[in-house]
Every structure is written in structure tokens, then in C-alpha cells.
């Protein structure tokens, strides 16, 4: 059993250590684009002046992504925070597997998928997020797989494109369509194959639901991709342009479903004998559509007859559940998480958030595993089902109520929570709603501070990545706002590349904590920090604590 050593100089606080993750709240580079800075945050402002304060990297190589041009995300962020180390993550793993050829090796899942369609003279389908955002997927991966499929003799391939607009600019879809149509023209040019787009829709409209929040999204996706039911168009470009004319200002992520037809019939229903690849590498928004393809019985919606297909995900999306059964790239093996160490030490732990980020505080925090360690309690507060900009406080008040009660109960020694507001509302591009969202988080943090003062606990406050701190498109050379033809700023809904705050506040002062000299700190350093503040020595291979105690 893996165990922690006690710190000889500090036995831990009288109250709990509370790790508060303010999702999507980073430190902006331009005050005009930084709607964290523009919000009223008296509690965070006070902490910055009176508590231990530093800034952490939360993107790129600091969280296991290929390079520092890659934005962080909640999944890799919570992996890093929870395991205290940096592992190569989705985009990087997939890229390496494609480049090395390991994905396509003889006897691989890929090999099985290809042999299935060749032997049955059937269709190879790809479903996934249609962008190069590198958070859920990358269009480069799709193009590489299609080239490989052609080289191996696959005659017919169909792409079911989920339009992004969250991890890339909010109305950039046609740029990706133009790029991909050029690619398709080239790969189809010799007449030996028939590869085309078959269906699609906005990622927040169809298919990519998560945490069982809205299975109707999955139903719409199933009807569109599998049954080829829906509004028909001659091309994806025509569909997008039509929807934009019908509803001016609509964001890509919200675009309705569409089906592509040729000669009066849908080009790509998914039928018996086909092979299907869900090419997203990130797991949270892949689990439900995967269940729809794999479960013998499905109660969440009326699926109709389940086609007899060979289905695979880009990666394994849940190690404990073994989902999906077939996958192309093995995810990183993350072991010895902070939760496991603390459980073995007998530390009672509470993990809490609302539905939108509950899986991040549990599954991702615990190394992509659904299993709960013996001393853990998990609490999920159901999220609202309305658009986030319509209720930007989300469940911050309810989360805070539960956390304050847990602090005052004395039952837990370590409490971790996630406020989703800065990220989920940030993705809407509604800057007025973002300010309400950030202020709700600040108020929650203020109440937690007061509870910790009463109980002798310690606050560790940070974020998994930025978002609300970078709400406008900025010129890459000048850093100034990019304006449209009317002189208005262009909204940005993707995560930022900015650092995030790290605040350590010990009201009693009994930890005698001071900032350690840690070069290039990142959010992975938060695990050792919490372990130190609980009175233990962090594991030797964890990246170091941000503080010295005792």
C-alpha cells in the first residue's frame, strides 16, 4: 500500500484544507478582454494582497499537451491537479501514435475496423468534433486516418461533423469546411474512393452531452448520424449558411442538425456491417454516444434497432467501466493520485461540484477512474438545464452552502470543490453574464474564508485553466482588441493561454507557510501543496509544493 510520511514540523491544521478550483478564471493580458478583472471581486482582491499568492501555468506542456500553443482544459487540468505530476495527454498521445504508426499496427483495433469494412464492402464512419482546437479532437488526426484508410483499400468513408465554436473562434466553421473540402477533393480525385461529409450539427445541440445532463442531445445526434433523419442539404457549407441566414448571430456550437443528401437520398446512414470511429480523444463528451452504440439495452431514449456495427473510440474514455470496448490509443496510466494517498492515510475527503464539473472533481481528479477511494464522499448538485448565460450564478450558492456546512461539521480533513461558472458561462461569449458568474464565485470564496477562520482550516484557491479572463479576440502581434466592421469587439469563447492564480490562505498562521522557490510552477504543483498543508511529506516524484510549512 502506498503511504505518505508525516511532516515532523507540522502535524496539519485544526480544520480542513479546502481546495477551491475556480474553473475558467485566469489572469488576463489585456484589461479590456479580461472580464475577471472587470468583475467586482473584493474577496479575491483581498486574498491577493494578504495571503500567499503566485501564478501557475495551466496550458501546454505544463499539463501534458504537445506545446505551449495548446490551451489547457478541465480534463487535463484536473488530471494534473489530482495526480501531482504531468503526463502526456490526449492530443499528444494520439499525435505520437499516428506519427509512429503504432495506431495502425497489424492486429490493432484500427486493423480490425479496416478489415471489417473491406470484407463486408461496407462503410467506415467517423464521428467527432470538426476543428483543430486540440481539446476534444484535432482535424489533423481525422485527415491522417482517412489517408491511411485509402491506402489500405477502404472505398467508402463518411464523416459526421460536430461543429465546434467553443475551443476555436465562435463562428469559424466555414474555415474548417473550406479546408476539409479541399482535402476531400484531393483524396477523391483519382476516383478510387468515395469519402464525404454525411451529417453534422453544433456540438451543444447534438451528440456531445456529458454527465447525463441532456440525453436529448444524444438522441438528436443518433437520429442524425445513424438514421440520417433530419433537414437535408447538398453540402455542409449550404447547411451552415442557411442556418445563419435564418437565425443571424447564432454561434457555431448551437447550429441545428443537418443531413447531406445526394440524388435525393442521404449519403451516409450507419447500417449493419459498418465500422464507426468516434475520433474525439477526450472522454467526458464521448461516453453517452458511446453507450448508445454499445449498450444492448438503452433506457435514456428510444434508439430503435441498434445497428450491428464495429464501434471504437479514439481512446478509452473510462478505465473502470472499460468504455468503449474497442479504442485506438491507450490513455495515460495515471496512478498514485492524491486521493489514493490521502485515503490510505485515513484522511476523510469530500469532493463536490454541480453536474457540469462533477466528473472533473471525481473521475478526472482521480486519474480517469470512476472508482471512489474508501475515505472519499462525493456530492453532485444537479446543474440547471437552461443556457448558462440565462442563469450565470449556476449552482455557486448551493455548492458554497454545502462546503461551509462540511467545514463547520468537522467531518472532513480535505475538501475539494469546483465552481464551473467562469468556464461554462465564459463559453457563451456573453460578457455581462460572465461578470455575474465571476462575482458569484468570489462571493462563494468569501463565505468559505469566513468558515475557515472559525475552524482553523486552510484555503488553497486556484483554477484549472483560464477563460473568463480572455473574452475578446486579441491581435497576436499587438495584443489589442480585434474589432469587426462595426467597431465592436469580436467575442472569444475558447480557453485562454493565460496563467491562473494560486492563493494559499491560513487564517490561524499555524502552518507558518511561506512560498517556496519553485521554478516555472504549474497547476500540477497544487497536489504536493495540499499534501504539505495537511501535515504530510509529498511523494518524491510529485512536482514540488508551492509552500514550505512548519
Amino acid at each position: 500500500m502506498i503511504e505518505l510520511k508525516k511532516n515532523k514540523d507540522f502535524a496539519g491544521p485544526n480544520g480542513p484544507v479546502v481546495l477551491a478550483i475556480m474553473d475558467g478564471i485566469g489572469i488576463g493580458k489585456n484589461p479590456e478582454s479580461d472580464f475577471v478583472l472587470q468583475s467586482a471581486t473584493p474577496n479575491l482582491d483581498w486574498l491577493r494582497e494578504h495571503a500567499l499568492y503566485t501564478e501557475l501555468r495551466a496550458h501546454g506542456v505544463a499539463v501534458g499537451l504537445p506545446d505551449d500553443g495548446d490551451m489547457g482544459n478541465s480534463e487535463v487540468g484536473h488530471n494534473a491537479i489530482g495526480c501531482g505530476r504531468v503526463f502526456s495527454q490526449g492530443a499528444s498521445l494520439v499525435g505520437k501514435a499516428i506519427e509512429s504508426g503504432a495506431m495502425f499496427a497489424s492486429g490493432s483495433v484500427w486493423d480490425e475496423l479496416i478489415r471489417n469494412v473491406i470484407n463486408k464492402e461496407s462503410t467506415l464512419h467517423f464521428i467527432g468534433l470538426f476543428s483543430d482546437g486540440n481539446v476534444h479532437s484535432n482535424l489533423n488526426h481525422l485527415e491522417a486516418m482517412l489517408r491511411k484508410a485509402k491506402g489500405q483499400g477502404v472505398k467508402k468513408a463518411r464523416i459526421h461533423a460536430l461543429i465546434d465554436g467553443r475551443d476555436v473562434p465562435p463562428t469559424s466553421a466555414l474555415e474548417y469546411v473550406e479546408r476539409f473540402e479541399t482535402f476531400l477533393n484531393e483524396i477523391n480525385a483519382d476516383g478510387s474512393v468515395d469519402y464525404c461529409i454525411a451529417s453534422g450539427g453544433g456540438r451543444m445541440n447534438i451528440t456531445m452531452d456529458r454527465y447525463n445532463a441532456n440525453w436529448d442531445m444524444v438522441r438528436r445526434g443518433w437520429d442524425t448520424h445513424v438514421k440520417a433523419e433530419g433537414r437535408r442539404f447538398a453540402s455542409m457549407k449550404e447547411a451552415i449558411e442557411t442556418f445563419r441566414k435564418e437565425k443571424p448571430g447564432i454561434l457555431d456550437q448551437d447550429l441545428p442538425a443537418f443531413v447531406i443528401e445526394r440524388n435525393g437520398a442521404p449519403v451516409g446512414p450507419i447500417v449493419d456491417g459498418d465500422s464507426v470511429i468516434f475520433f474525439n480523444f477526450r472522454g467526458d463528451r464521448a461516453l453517452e454516444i458511446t453507450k448508445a452504440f454499445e449498450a444492448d439495452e438503452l433506457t435514456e431514449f428510444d434508439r430503435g434497432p441498434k445497428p450491428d456495427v464495429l464501434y471504437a473510440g479514439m481512446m478509452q474514455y473510462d478505465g473502470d467501466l472499460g468504455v468503449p470496448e474497442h479504442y485506438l490509443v491507450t490513455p495515460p496510466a495515471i496512478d498514485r493520485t492524491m486521493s489514493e494517498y490521502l485515503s490510505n492515510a485515513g484522511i476523510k475527503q469530500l469532493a463536490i461540484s454541480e453536474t457540469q464539473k462533477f466528473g472533473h472533481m471525481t473521475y478526472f481528479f482521480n486519474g480517469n477512474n470512476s472508482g471512489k477511494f474508501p475515505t472519499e464522499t462525493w456530492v453532485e448538485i444537479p446543474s440547471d438545464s437552461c443556457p448558462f448565460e440565462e442563469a450565470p450564478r449556476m449552482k455557486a450558492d448551493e455548492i458554497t452552502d454545502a462546503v461551509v456546512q462540511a467545514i463547520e461539521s468537522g467531518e472532513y480533513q480535505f475538501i475539494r470543490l469546483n465552481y464551473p461558472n467562469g468556464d461554462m458561462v465564459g463559453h457563451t461569449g456573453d460578457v455581462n453574464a460572465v461578470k455575474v458568474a465571476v462575482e458569484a464565485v468570489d462571493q462563494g470564496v468569501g463565505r468559505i474564508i469566513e468558515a475557515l477562520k472559525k475552524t482553523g482550516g486552510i484555503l488553497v484557491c486556484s483554477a484549472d485553466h483560464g477563460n473568463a479572463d480572455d473574452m475578446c479576440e486579441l491581435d497576436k502581434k499587438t495584443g489589442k482588441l480585434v474589432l469587426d466592421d462595426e467597431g465592436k469587439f469580436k467575442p472569444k469563447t475558447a480557453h485562454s493561454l493565460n496563467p491562473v492564480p494560486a492563493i494559499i490562505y491560513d487564517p490561524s498562521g499555524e502552518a507558518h507557510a511561506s512560498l517556496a522557490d519553485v521554478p516555472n510552477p504549474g497547476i500540477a504543483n497544487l497536489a504536493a501543496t495540499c499534501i504539505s498543508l495537511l501535515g504530510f511529506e509529498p511523494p518524491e516524484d510529485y512536482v514540488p509544493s508551492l509552500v514550505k510549512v512548519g
Side-chain angles (χ1 to χ4, degrees), residues 66-299:
D67 64 61
D68 284 336
D70 294 323
M71 69 186 80
N73 61 67
S74 294
E75 292 65 42
V76 300
H78 283 78
N79 278 170
I81 295 168
C83 75
R85 291 153 290 159
V86 179
F87 290 82
S88 291
Q89 287 286 354
S92 181
L93 281 181
V94 173
K96 290 176 181 177
I98 291 173
E99 184 178 351
S100 69
M103 180 192 292
F104 310 120
S106 177
S108 64
V109 169
W110 172 268
D111 194 35
E112 188 178 357
L113 292 160
I114 299 302
R115 284 189 283 107
N116 177 64
V117 297
I118 290 176
N119 292 340
K120 296 177 180 177
E121 298 183 350
S122 57
T123 303
L124 177 61
H125 296 267
F126 294 88
I127 307 172
L129 193 61
F130 195 73
S131 81
D132 57 2
N134 240 22
V135 175
H136 290 268
S137 69
N138 193 313
L139 205 54
N140 295 329
H141 300 160
L142 173 62
E143 292 173 352
M145 289 187 289
L146 287 167
R147 290 191 194 97
K148 187 67 176 180
K150 179 178 180 179
Q152 292 183 306
V154 173
K155 301 298 183 184
K156 186 177 179 182
R158 294 293 182 260
I159 296 89
H160 305 268
L162 302 171
I163 305 170
D164 194 349
R166 281 168 76 91
D167 303 326
V168 295
T171 55
S172 58
L174 290 178
E175 297 174 23
Y176 294 102
V177 172
E178 182 178 352
R179 162 189 163 171
F180 196 67
E181 288 294 348
T182 299
F183 169 83
L184 288 175
N185 288 337
E186 292 173 354
I187 205 167
N188 286 317
D190 64 5
S192 65
V193 298
D194 175 14
Y195 292 1
C196 68
I197 294 170
S199 73
R203 59 178 282 180
M204 297 304 289
N205 190 313
I206 67 170
T207 311
M208 282 178 59
D209 183 43
R210 66 177 177 190
Y211 306 149
N212 301 304
N214 185 3
W215 269 90
D216 205 43
M217 285 175 59
V218 187
R219 179 194 60 76
R220 289 194 292 270
W222 182 268
D223 290 347
T224 304
H225 311 317
V226 178
K227 298 181 180 180
E229 295 177 354
R231 191 171 173 184
R232 296 183 185 181
F233 297 88
S235 69
M236 183 172 176
K237 180 181 180 182
E238 181 191 11
I240 293 170
E241 290 177 339
T242 300
F243 292 141
R244 287 180 175 175
K245 287 177 183 177
E246 292 176 351
K247 189 174 182 180
I250 190 171
L251 300 180
D252 290 347
Q253 62 184 352
D254 300 318
L255 288 167
F258 61 86
V259 173
I260 303 302
E261 67 175 355
R262 185 190 296 169
N263 299 323
V267 299
I270 298 174
V271 300
D272 290 350
D274 288 347
S275 290
V276 180
I277 296 172
F278 194 76
F279 65 87
N280 287 13
F281 45 74
R282 175 170 145 181
D284 58 338
R285 294 189 184 276
L287 287 169
E288 292 175 33
I289 188 65
T290 295
K291 182 175 182 179
F293 273 103
E294 291 195 332
D296 291 330
E297 295 183 4
L298 190 73
T299 59

Side-chain angles (χ1 to χ4, degrees), residues 471-505:
M471 293 298 301
C472 310
E473 291 289 336
L474 300 177
D475 185 281
K476 293 182 179 179
K477 292 183 179 180
T478 66
K480 295 181 179 180
L481 297 185
V482 176
L483 304 179
D484 62 19
D485 294 337
E486 298 179 359
K488 299 178 180 178
F489 71 82
K490 291 185 176 181
K492 179 175 179 289
T493 56
H495 298 164
S496 74
L497 299 177
N498 295 328
V500 298
I503 297 164
I504 299 93
Y505 179 51

